[in-house]
Amino acid sequence: MSSEPRPHVPASTAAVLAGIEVANRHPGLQLDKFSAGGTQAENQSFALDAVCRTRGYPELLVDLRRRRAGVLASLGVTCLRVATTGPLTLHLSRASALENAGICLHPLYGFVYLPASGLKGMARAWAETAWKSAQPEAAQAQRQIDEVFGTGGTADSAAGRVVFHDAWPETWPKLVRDLLNNHHRDYYQAGKPPGDWESPIPVSFLAIGAGVTFDAPLSPRRPDDAPLLDLARGWLLSAFCHRGAGAKTNAGYGAFRPVEGSPPPLPAPAGERFVATLELVTPGFFAGAAQDGSDCDLRPASLRGQLRWWWRAMFAGHLDLAALRSREAQVWGDTTRGGAVRVTVTAQGAGKVVLFNKKAEVPGGGRHQRSGGKPVTQGLWYASYGMDDGANHRHYIRPGAKWSVELTARPTGRAGLAPAQALAEARAALWLLCHFGGVGSKSRKGFGSFADIEVPGIDSLQACLDLAASVAGAAAVRTQGEPSLTLAGEAALEAEWPLAANTTWQQAIDNAGAALAAFVRGVQPKAKRGALGMPRKGQERSNLPQRHAAPYCLHVGRRGDGTQVLRFLGFPAARLPDAATSREVLSHLRDALAQSFGSMPQSGPVGRSGPAGFPCKGRHLGEPVTVLRQDGDTFFISDAYGDTEFVPVDEVEFD
């Protein structure tokens, strides 16, 4: 729709609303009463954007917290202060005119808060499923749990001796419209094979971001119950840090950390954990619903979606469709149950977000390459198609940005999947992502690539396939769908080429994009181009699907020893247009890339050298840079984020 729909209220009410700016409306009323009804595909984004535009009443919250503090102090409370480390959403399905898009707003004042009933449930779940199992005396542990939370349903029913209060934010949280994309609806809902030809289905909902601090007070029911507060506080803090609060916790939402001190350790009965640092090697076109740079960050839901994709690629050659769906649900969850693995992402510092400018990023200052005297699309432009074209001008986060990623596998109560096994499969998927793939738009063209990570027991594609085979057994039947790492291995479509020292990401992607573009132009007949995820408009479609992602991944990575590499991984696809053609075209593409990168020029001095030769350290406009070479009266420099550009010689000072 092109304009905001009218809410379903009487005409007289609508007339009053028309005179009140959205920013000055009550957030709860705007969400529940003044939002036009509709499904995710219809009016929902308009309605949620309007709720996000409400300013709320920050000054009122200051006064309310002061008055509340006086009341709580008289009750002898202990207060737990925790802060969000990522997005938080809760009460998505609360009664409103919208479809699974609500959030828990205070019924009187309209700010986001955490209800006491939910906090008590979180703490009890942790106490009974994680803490109790680690205690030497189970009966005594259960008595302590009953004392804190109470008992019910028997003649000896009793109220809990600790009172949980609502958790209020310290400052008014800013609402944002968040977004998830279901890329495989037919696989999850219709039981069809998973593939890269389905169109994503966006789902919008409300959330708040990282860095919001909440106070969660607990008080004794009677003065002599005060000794139980520390026990209850510890359970609640562990639940916040290791399980999360609200909805979509396994997708990284609702992750918290204590404001003071460190998170409590994860006891063995609570599950297994793996922590890795992801470092961006090439720009990441990350974005959520805003598309304006404000949410250009590695989102846990996006990372989890990629991990599921690589997990399926790893197991697709070893499990039939029914077994694949069942196993995936156990590890990652589905609409009927939560999975064993939780993914959380914490930024290590603020990454620098800038608008993508393809002309400024092209090595050589934007000059086109030429073939036979005719201009040809620059390789970097070809690889980044759509990121800086017309009205579509995307932001990216610069290379060098880092995130701490935590994978936690918990017991699910279902036989056959221990937390250690679920974590092993998730770690292998993360290794594959960091070795061959990427996150965000154009990730199959080299953007959004991460440096290599170390995963115990996983150091090759074959190790990942061996893990899948150990789960499936020798008699497994293959899934009829793509992509499949097994088929990629059988067709020898895995390749890697070291890059020259000091190669920039622009040079690597530009060279790969140029080789790819030249190869595509040479594929004849044109119908065979469909094997590369095409056809484009005007080309023969034959029996090809209307949409298909590229059946290969280009990855600009960095090994543990610092060597930069370009990796290629192809996925033969029976639908593009048949298995034989797919293997043939992808094999030729692999050979074309090998030829191109085998002759890639080394980075080095051009023209006169600097004081210490090239590369050498210096400063441009006060910022540290590395001067890679000189072209006439300009230096080609690389800054601390790995970005490069041409600058005048007289603007550089050498260290």
Side-chain angles (χ1 to χ4, degrees):
M1 301 181 65
S2 58
S3 60
E4 185 174 343
R6 178 177 174 272
H8 303 306
V9 296
S12 57
T13 305
V16 173
L17 283 176
I20 303 175
E21 293 185 9
V22 173
N24 296 325
R25 299 178 189 175
H26 187 284
L29 290 176
Q30 182 63 38
L31 174 62
D32 294 335
K33 305 299 183 183
F34 306 148
S35 294
T39 64
Q40 288 282 354
E42 295 175 338
N43 303 332
Q44 199 128 300
S45 61
F46 289 108
L48 297 182
D49 286 342
V51 177
C52 294
R53 293 201 302 271
T54 59
R55 191 182 73 91
Y57 311 96
E59 301 82 3
L60 175 61
L61 179 59
V62 173
D63 184 59
L64 291 172
R65 284 178 51 82
R66 179 185 56 78
R67 291 158 51 191
R68 187 185 192 225
V71 174
L72 292 175
S74 67
L75 300 177
V77 301
T78 180
C79 194
L80 174 62
R81 297 178 67 225
V82 291
T84 57
T85 62
L88 166 71
T89 186
L90 64 165
H91 286 202
L92 291 176
S93 58
R94 67 197 292 266
S96 75
L98 306 180
E99 178 187 19
N100 294 327
I103 198 167
C104 189
L105 301 177
H106 195 283
L108 292 180
Y109 308 117
F111 55 78
V112 175
Y113 77 109
L114 306 177
S117 57
L119 301 182
K120 185 174 182 179
M122 287 169 49
R124 181 158 198 161
W126 178 265
E128 293 186 340
T129 61
W131 176 84
K132 179 181 175 181
S133 301
Q135 305 309 305
E137 296 290 337
Q140 173 62 20
Q142 186 60 54
R143 283 194 293 272
Q144 290 179 291
I145 293 173
D146 291 342
E147 286 179 336
V148 170
F149 298 106
T151 58
T154 68
D156 298 325
S157 297
R161 295 168 61 184
V162 172
V163 178
F164 289 74
H165 300 267
D166 295 339
W168 282 18
E170 290 190 352
T171 57
W172 195 284
K174 177 178 174 56
L175 290 169
V176 296
R177 178 166 67 91
D178 209 335
L179 186 71
L180 292 179
N181 278 325
N182 180 357
H183 285 258
H184 302 287
R185 180 177 61 176
D186 288 345
Y187 168 63
Y188 292 119
Q189 298 181 6
K192 296 181 180 180
D196 288 335
W197 52 83
E198 297 181 62
S199 296
I201 308 297
V203 176
S204 298
F205 54 94
L206 292 171
I208 61 174
V212 180
T213 299
F214 287 86
D215 295 332
L218 299 91
S219 65
R221 187 169 294 277
R222 298 182 298 272
D224 57 350
D225 295 330
L228 294 174
L229 290 181
D230 286 343
L231 192 60
R233 186 180 186 277
W235 292 338
L236 182 57
L237 178 59
S238 294
F240 268 122
C241 295
H242 300 307
R243 293 283 169 82
K248 303 183 184 298
T249 53
N250 272 12
Y253 288 79
F256 284 82
R257 60 170 176 80
V259 174
E260 295 93 11
S262 302
L266 181 70
E272 304 276 345
R273 181 172 58 183
F274 174 74
V275 179
T277 297
L278 302 190
E279 181 180 353
L280 201 60
V281 176
T282 59
F285 290 108
F286 306 152
Q291 298 285 315
D292 60 2
S294 63
D295 55 0
C296 185
D297 199 357
L298 179 60
R299 303 167 64 242
S302 298
L303 179 64
R304 183 181 177 85
Q306 284 294 327
L307 293 180
R308 292 185 78 140
W309 190 93
W310 285 102
W311 183 94
R312 280 194 301 270
M314 180 170 57
F315 277 89
H318 298 273
L319 298 173
D320 63 24
L321 183 57
L324 184 74
R325 292 185 64 197
S326 176
R327 185 75 177 188
E328 182 179 350
Q330 292 182 65
V331 176
W332 303 105
D334 59 16
T335 57
T336 63
R337 57 184 171 181
V341 176
R342 178 178 182 235
V343 180
T344 59
V345 176
T346 304
Q348 296 185 357
K352 189 169 183 179
V353 176
V354 295
L355 271 174
F356 180 59
N357 185 332
K358 64 183 182 183
K359 292 183 179 180
E361 301 290 6
V362 170
R367 293 185 291 272
H368 288 284
Q369 299 171 353
R370 291 181 175 271
S371 176
K374 295 181 179 180
V376 177
T377 301
Q378 191 84 28
L380 182 62
W381 293 17
Y382 184 88
S384 62
Y385 176 79
M387 299 297 99
D388 181 14
D389 296 278
N392 191 14
H393 200 185
R394 293 285 295 274
H395 290 78
Y396 69 76
I397 190 166
R398 283 184 165 183
K402 294 182 180 181
W403 297 267
S404 176
V405 173
E406 182 175 309
L407 306 178
T408 307
R410 61 183 176 87
T412 61
R414 294 187 289 273
L417 186 63
Q421 177 62 37
L423 185 63
E425 296 174 19
R427 291 187 312 188
L430 183 61
W431 185 90
L432 287 167
L433 170 63
C434 293
H435 205 77
F436 296 113
V439 179
S441 295
K442 302 302 172 183
S443 59
R444 299 197 188 187
K445 298 294 193 296
F447 290 95
S449 297
F450 297 109
D452 292 1
I453 62 170
E454 292 187 5
V455 174
I458 300 294
D459 58 2
S460 66
L461 177 62
Q462 188 58 50
C464 297
L465 294 176
D466 290 343
L467 172 63
S470 69
V471 172
V477 179
R478 290 181 179 174
T479 301
Q480 296 302 308
E482 308 86 12
S484 169
L485 291 177
T486 300
L487 295 179
E490 291 176 350
L493 291 176
E494 174 194 359
E496 176 181 293
W497 305 280
L499 301 179
N502 303 314
T503 299
T504 65
W505 69 262
Q506 291 97 331
Q507 292 171 315
I509 295 181
D510 183 62
N511 198 55
L516 178 61
F519 176 78
V520 171
R521 290 193 299 271
V523 173
Q524 297 296 332
K526 288 186 177 181
K528 276 192 174 183
R529 298 181 186 180
L532 298 173
M534 297 171 170
R536 301 298 187 202
K537 182 178 180 181
Q539 296 179 7
E540 182 181 345
R541 289 190 176 275
S542 184
N543 64 334
L544 299 174
Q546 294 296 307
R547 175 191 180 274
H548 202 298
Y552 57 83
C553 290
L554 296 177
H555 175 92
V556 181
R558 187 173 68 240
R559 299 173 184 160
D561 62 4
T563 303
Q564 294 191 92
V565 295
L566 177 77
R567 297 190 177 107
F568 168 79
L569 185 63
F571 298 101
R575 295 167 60 101
L576 294 178
D578 56 70
T581 301
S582 179
R583 289 189 181 211
E584 174 194 353
V585 174
L586 289 174
S587 295
H588 291 164
L589 174 58
R590 175 203 58 204
D591 296 342
L593 289 167
Q595 181 178 7
S596 176
F597 278 84
S599 60
M600 183 176 179
Q602 300 286 317
S603 296
V606 176
R608 68 176 182 84
S609 61
F614 293 110
C616 56
K617 301 296 184 182
R619 289 186 174 272
H620 174 243
L621 303 181
E623 297 294 329
V625 297
T626 299
V627 180
L628 302 177
R629 67 175 186 267
Q630 182 178 2
D631 284 355
D633 59 354
T634 61
F635 281 136
F636 187 45
I637 66 170
S638 174
D639 65 16
Y641 292 92
D643 284 348
T644 58
E645 61 178 326
F646 283 88
V647 301
V649 168
D650 57 7
E651 289 187 5
V652 176
E653 297 179 359
F654 292 97
D655 293 341

